[in-house]
Amino acid sequence: MDILGKPLGLVSVFDVRAAQQPVALINLSHIGGCTTLAFDPAAPGPLVAVGCEDALVRLYDLRLLGGEASEAAPVKAFGARRLLEASRRGRAHLSQGASGLAYSSSGELLVNLRGERMLLFDSRAPAGDSFQHIPVLADTIAEYHGRANDETFAKECAFLHDGGYVTTGGDCGHLFVWGKRSGELLLKARGDGAIVNCVAPHPALPVLAVSGIDSDVKIFGLGEARRGRESAQSGHRRAAGESGREGVGTARWSGAEVTAEEATARLSTARALREEGNAAHRRGEHAA
């Protein structure tokens, strides 16, 4: 199955095994379009977070859906407390909704809001607030600022280096990387001539693909920083009773942009090695 959020405010499921019409599971058209969604990889069941054109990110258990899409009820939602308070006072939403969502392997939820900061929630924490009869987790673990997210609705966000860092793009055409725990901005690098929308970390290598309005995709090398190093240092500081922010400490970000020429050369080398390996396999020279 494939699940897709649509501009009409629907979240629909497609059965790719059969030529059937999509089935709408969630209908948020009374709020606006569904802008982004993400599955929790660490949850015991199929939980999907859905962003729409308001300050809430709603969490649904797909096992509880299947009736009328307009009656689909979230199990809880995520929203910054200050945005909920502004809405309760009748003020216009400070946020135009989430443009990107990402889960860490441990269940932390990263929310990239338009017209607002990027927020980090512990999705396992209980909801201690409510809004429009929905249980809401309003306490954030961290908030990341320094970039503008107003011009487009497609800005993604992602975790880097085993969840030790977070990243997104900005309206200024730059890539931004923060320490997840400290919230400190560690890298700001030009990623597009206009706006950076997409950030896609490699699943195994310290490489990040970045794109936006330009017709090319830029590849960034991410250095050698690791979450374990960051956590160990902060743990030593807490054990010694030292003050200071938890986070990267002296494990500074060592990222460096890979030029187009360098990326082309590396890709050519990789293709040559792949062909060499395929030829060796065909000759039966591969290891048993």
Side-chain angles (χ1 to χ4, degrees):
M1 291 190 300
D2 188 19
I3 292 183
L4 178 66
K6 292 188 172 183
L8 296 178
L10 300 177
V11 176
S12 300
V13 59
F14 296 78
D15 189 340
V16 297
R17 301 165 299 181
Q20 299 177 349
Q21 292 296 315
V23 177
L25 297 179
I26 302 166
N27 187 347
L28 296 175
S29 59
H30 61 289
I31 298 172
C34 293
T35 54
T36 180
L37 54 78
F39 281 91
D40 186 346
L47 299 181
V48 59
V50 179
C52 196
E53 294 178 356
D54 65 355
L56 291 183
V57 172
R58 294 161 177 82
L59 183 68
Y60 295 88
D61 187 334
L62 295 184
R63 295 169 297 186
L64 304 179
L65 304 181
E68 288 293 329
S70 60
E71 298 177 359
V75 294
K76 69 177 177 181
F78 307 90
R81 191 176 305 280
R82 64 180 179 280
L83 300 179
L84 300 181
E85 292 300 327
S87 297
R88 290 192 182 104
R89 292 195 298 269
R91 295 173 55 189
H93 287 302
L94 301 179
S95 167
Q96 297 170 293
S99 67
L101 299 173
Y103 273 103
S104 71
S105 59
S106 59
E108 297 162 318
L109 178 61
L110 188 62
V111 179
N112 196 15
L113 290 175
R114 294 186 65 197
E116 250 288 337
R117 301 174 182 178
M118 190 162 65
L119 312 176
L120 183 65
F121 295 91
D122 178 4
S123 67
R124 301 294 184 268
D129 209 321
S130 66
F131 184 75
Q132 296 178 348
H133 308 293
I134 303 173
V136 177
L137 175 60
D139 296 320
T140 60
I141 301 175
E143 301 189 8
Y144 312 98
H145 56 88
R147 64 91 182 92
N149 181 15
D150 297 295
E151 297 299 324
T152 60
F153 62 88
K155 287 192 187 68
E156 300 172 345
C157 55
F159 290 90
L160 302 174
H161 278 319
D162 299 324
Y165 302 86
V166 298
T167 184
T168 189
D171 291 341
C172 59
H174 285 81
L175 168 72
F176 295 81
V177 177
W178 294 266
K180 183 186 75 173
R181 294 179 180 272
S182 66
E184 180 182 0
L185 180 61
L186 301 176
L187 176 68
K188 178 181 178 182
R190 172 65 65 177
D192 190 83
I195 298 172
V196 170
N197 284 322
C198 302
V199 289
H202 191 282
L205 301 177
V207 173
L208 177 68
V210 176
S211 68
I213 307 301
D214 293 345
S215 58
D216 58 0
V217 176
K218 299 170 181 67
I219 306 298
F220 285 76
L222 298 180
E224 297 300 326
R226 288 294 185 271
R227 181 182 62 173
R229 183 178 171 193
E230 174 180 317
S231 300
Q233 288 175 341
S234 60
H236 291 324
R237 290 198 299 271
R238 291 194 299 271
E242 297 178 11
S243 61
R245 293 180 297 175
E246 179 183 0
V248 293
T250 57
R252 302 296 298 175
W253 180 264
S254 56
E257 183 175 357
V258 178
T259 66
E261 292 77 11
E262 291 171 335
T264 300
R266 294 181 190 183
L267 289 173
S268 297
T269 301
R271 282 193 292 267
L273 291 173
R274 182 186 63 190
E275 291 302 322
E276 181 181 343
N278 289 340
H281 180 81
R282 288 191 293 269
R283 296 192 300 267
E285 298 175 1
H286 58 283

